Amino acid sequence: MTPSTFVAGLELSRRFYQEEVRPLLDKHLPNVPHAAAKLGAGSDVLGFDTPMSMDHDWGPTVLIFLPEQNWQHAESLRAVMRHHLPSVFDGFPTNPSLATSEQGDAPTNQTVRPITVRQFFWERARYTIDQPL
């Protein structure tokens, strides 16, 4: 079930972070520094989304960037989101693919994902920040 009124993906994800994700982080992981963003592929990331975009891979998503020295909190962050996020935000599911990882780990929440800057650049460009340009 999706709302009948179009909301741009960046706005939807911004509100999702502010209204749901950030309060959970503040309550359950208050001393873990992070940054949040909606980055990656997709018309919504570029601001080119339309109501037609809502029929595929649509919904609130956010990357939670953790400093590498705080990566040990990633699983706790996943667990907090898995157990405390509402199942729907503004008419969109917050766990559209509560899937088990390839390694057979516990289910992960694909709409709120912890990541490091190093991991992000490796996934997007197969580039590590240790490599010279």
Side-chain angles (χ1 to χ4, degrees):
M1 177 89 179
T2 58
S4 58
T5 304
F6 173 70
V7 177
L10 288 175
E11 174 62 17
L12 179 68
S13 292
R14 181 192 63 76
R15 288 189 18 250
F16 177 56
Y17 172 75
Q18 289 180 336
E19 297 173 24
E20 299 292 345
V21 176
R22 179 66 189 258
L24 288 173
L25 293 174
D26 288 346
K27 179 178 180 181
H28 296 279
L29 299 165
N31 298 316
V32 177
H34 71 278
K38 180 169 177 74
L39 299 172
S43 60
D44 54 341
V45 173
L46 299 172
F48 295 137
D49 47 342
T50 67
M52 186 178 291
S53 303
M54 296 168 63
D55 72 354
H56 60 282
D57 298 327
W58 187 259
T61 60
V62 64
L63 294 174
I64 303 296
F65 284 90
L66 296 174
E68 288 189 30
Q69 64 269 25
N70 293 106
W71 184 248
Q72 72 271 16
H73 298 290
E75 185 51 41
S76 296
L77 189 153
R78 287 183 194 102
V80 165
M81 297 304 138
R82 214 173 24 249
H83 298 294
H84 298 286
L85 270 180
S87 60
V88 174
F89 177 77
D90 202 18
F92 296 98
T94 61
N95 277 328
S97 62
L98 200 59
T100 302
S101 75
E102 291 177 15
Q103 291 80 28
D105 298 4
T108 57
N109 181 308
Q110 299 299 317
T111 61
V112 179
R113 182 173 173 226
I115 195 166
T116 66
V117 170
R118 183 184 308 271
Q119 289 169 332
F120 178 80
F121 279 101
W122 178 252
E123 288 176 9
R124 290 288 162 198
R126 294 294 184 242
Y127 175 79
T128 65
I129 56 177
D130 299 331
Q131 293 174 335
L133 293 176

